[in-house]
Amino acid sequence: MAHESHDVGDLAGHMTGDQFRARGERMLELIASYWQTLDSKGSPPVMCDKGPGWLLERLPAAAPDAPGGTAEWDAIFSDIEQLVIPALTHWQSPNFYAFFPCNGSYPAILGELLSAGLGVNGMLWATSPAATELETRLLDWMARAMGLPDTFLSTSPNGGGCIQATASESTLAALLAARHRVRTTRDLGPHPEFVVYTSTQAHSSVAKAAMIAGIALGPEDPHIRMVPVKADGAMDEPALARLVAEDAAAGRVPLMVCATIGTTGITAIDRVDRIAAALEAIPAWCESGAWIHVDAAHAGALMLCEEFAHLRAGLDRVDSLCFNPHKWMLTTFDCDLFWTRDRRSLISSMSINPAYLKNEASESGAVFDYRDWHVPLGRRFRALKLWFVLRHYGLSGIRAYLREHLRLAALVEGWVRDDAAFESCADRTMNLVVFRPRPHEGADAAAQDARTKQLMDAVNRSGRLYVSPVVLPREWDKTKRAHLAGRLAIRMAIGATLTREHHVRAAWEEIRRAASNRQP
Ligand code: PLP
């Protein structure tokens, strides 16, 4: 059958290449103007001020039936400005200090565009070798730059890394690999009772992974053990060892410990070296093939900086680690880097070979098929955006960026300490400052929290910045921080791409103003 060559625009309703160029230029212009607006005097409120249903009320109830064509594109651009942008919380604003940052940058955005433009699905090496091999090389680049153990490199006998969408998915992948290894290490009978351990300060994604894997029914289930933390917010290693030994003695099967480097609440740093040492002293742990995973979702970026070498202590004794360049390394969401020193267990836990996926390259064993490294089959060409970020900024540019945010966080920390109206609520370990308004003499816990919430809400309602809350560790009631145990505090994470010193100065002024009920 003869094939004619068609511009896709020849088909009813398709956009021509020339129309795509013109609309693409307009879209890039819109994005660049949006970013510029975020860093200007007329910037919109950082936290969205629209109520529930605001956008739903303005959207048609049904999808359009007729092709929209050229006129529709004018309407689409107008809707982006009139409907979509007003209903956004502006994560890329320089005044976004809530949660952890979710970085974007122009080089990464161009990578996203190219990934969509090339439109490949890198599920197998054979379905686009470049998608797999670029990713493999970048994971090795990053492992070396971060000083990770050589056992995580793709060139090592059993290690390697891949890009997962999120840290949550990495934790799940680690857990599935752990279960596979433990089940194939010894005979556990038909219904082993697995247990996962993490600290009370770990991200909820650890409990969620245990729930998805069928190990725990819910976050309160005893098969996910929340290990108490110490005064610095890090996992209490002797408490962990006691729980693991107790479970093993009772016939339960310790499966995985998830340590956190940079907890979500206060960026506490679990001592991975001490955790590994405590576990290695338990014979049942050593015999079981159980797994240590490290969640460094936010803080992993700092491993690029030599002054944070302490974050790497003990990583030579863990089975896997993940970190998100989409948090604090200029790479647009989604991009989580996951490494393991036991890729065989990971791959075996998820590999199935239906006839339609079989191919010579896979069967040769000479290639990575990343579909076996995580839950989905299909995968986007995410490596492009990370590649562009690394080539554009270079490691030294990224380090300078991180260090500038650390400098700004130190400034804010100093302002908190020097101002009697505020109380610092946790030691600063990186770019997060945790504080609250100093409680009135004799105020009970509820009154203290109400005051903190009132300040946070006032600041966020001002539209000039966005901060988020944390409930401080309840275990602190047995430490020198007893008065802060379980109390509400305000988190200010300094890590948005556009944040500079004048932004944090203005933010602090706004916080002080709100705390003293002054008008702007
Ligand atoms: N782990 C930690 C320590 C986090 O702080 C977060 C999110 O902030 C996550 C995991 C979840 O990240 P993701 O959205 O990539 O799953």
Side-chain angles (χ1 to χ4, degrees), residues 100 165-169 203 205 260 262-264 295 297 324 326-327 333:
F100 281 137
T166 61
S168 307
E169 282 154 274
H203 191 262
S205 51
T260 312
T263 59
T264 313
D295 175 0
N324 291 355
H326 73 229
K327 280 190 160 51
F333 185 86

Side-chain angles (χ1 to χ4, degrees), residues 27-359:
M27 194 63 82
L28 289 185
E29 172 53 36
L30 183 148
I31 295 167
S33 303
Y34 172 68
W35 277 61
Q36 281 162 352
T37 307
L38 292 181
D39 196 11
S40 70
K41 284 223 173 334
S43 59
V46 185
M47 187 181 85
C48 183
D49 59 357
K50 301 288 181 271
W54 183 89
L55 180 59
L56 282 170
E57 279 166 19
R58 288 164 174 77
L59 292 172
D65 188 43
T70 299
E72 189 64 10
W73 274 93
D74 288 332
I76 290 172
F77 276 101
S78 151
D79 284 352
I80 295 170
E81 298 202 358
Q82 306 299 320
L83 300 180
V84 175
I85 290 178
L88 294 180
T89 284
H90 301 286
W91 285 73
Q92 302 310 321
S93 161
N95 299 309
F96 185 98
Y97 303 103
F99 312 109
F100 281 137
C102 194
N103 278 184
S105 66
Y106 290 140
I109 294 168
L110 292 176
E112 293 278 6
L113 182 62
L114 182 61
S115 170
L118 298 180
V120 303
N121 180 337
M123 59 189 190
L124 300 166
W125 175 89
T127 59
S128 269
T132 297
E133 293 189 11
L134 182 61
E135 189 164 322
T136 304
R137 181 50 50 92
L138 293 192
L139 268 287
D140 284 352
W141 276 5
M142 286 300 297
R144 288 206 177 88
M146 293 163 69
L148 300 184
D150 285 354
T151 44
F152 282 173
L153 296 176
S154 67
T155 46
S156 69
N158 194 22
C162 72
I163 303 182
Q164 308 261 1
T166 61
S168 307
E169 282 154 274
S170 279
T171 302
L172 176 62
L175 189 54
L176 300 178
R179 181 165 59 189
H180 183 86
R181 188 164 79 187
V182 169
R183 291 209 78 139
T184 50
T185 299
R186 39 185 196 132
D187 180 13
L188 296 167
H191 303 297
E193 209 185 319
F194 292 119
V195 190
V196 174
Y197 307 79
T198 199
S199 90
T200 57
Q201 299 305 299
H203 191 262
S204 56
S205 51
V206 185
K208 188 169 173 180
M211 288 158 63
I212 296 170
I215 290 166
L217 276 178
E220 315 292 337
D221 188 303
H223 297 93
I224 167 89
R225 290 217 187 260
M226 302 299 184
V227 183
V229 297
K230 302 175 285 188
D232 60 359
M235 189 189 285
D236 180 336
E237 305 92 10
L240 167 70
R242 272 194 302 279
L243 288 171
V244 170
E246 240 173 68
D247 284 331
R252 292 181 284 271
V253 185
L255 183 59
M256 183 172 96
V257 172
C258 180
T260 312
I261 294 183
T263 59
T264 313
I266 60 168
T267 54
I269 299 165
D270 284 352
R271 286 295 302 264
V272 176
D273 50 345
R274 292 189 191 154
I275 288 173
L279 294 170
E280 283 158 13
I282 306 171
W285 174 271
C286 300
E287 289 152 19
S288 68
W291 193 282
I292 305 179
H293 174 64
V294 175
D295 175 0
H298 172 69
L302 288 176
M303 290 182 199
L304 292 170
C305 301
E306 233 6 80
E307 65 273 28
F308 281 85
H310 57 280
L311 300 185
R312 302 181 198 132
L315 293 186
D316 53 334
R317 290 145 93 179
V318 310
D319 296 284
S320 56
L321 171 134
C322 75
F323 115 83
N324 291 355
H326 73 229
K327 280 190 160 51
W328 192 21
M329 213 194 84
L330 297 157
T331 311
T332 42
F333 185 86
D334 48 359
C335 185
D336 167 89
L337 307 187
F338 174 79
W339 292 270
T340 179
R341 65 171 175 179
D342 185 2
R343 66 174 185 252
R344 272 193 285 278
S345 292
L346 176 71
I347 293 169
S348 308
S349 72
M350 283 187 264
S351 180
I352 311 178
N353 277 312
Y356 48 83
L357 294 179
K358 284 200 187 347
N359 65 85

Side-chain angles (χ1 to χ4, degrees), residues 480-491:
K480 61 181 186 213
R481 296 205 156 105
H483 70 291
L484 290 169
R487 296 284 54 77
L488 192 69
I490 297 173
R491 296 168 72 266

Side-chain angles (χ1 to χ4, degrees), residues 47 450-467 490 510-511 513-518:
M47 187 181 85
R451 198 164 127 77
T452 304
K453 183 163 181 331
Q454 201 179 24
L455 173 62
M456 186 182 70
D457 290 347
V459 161
N460 289 342
R461 264 199 314 270
S462 79
R464 283 186 272 277
L465 68 153
Y466 184 20
V467 288
I490 297 173
E510 178 62 32
I511 293 168
R513 192 198 61 69
S516 61
N517 290 320
R518 274 184 285 123

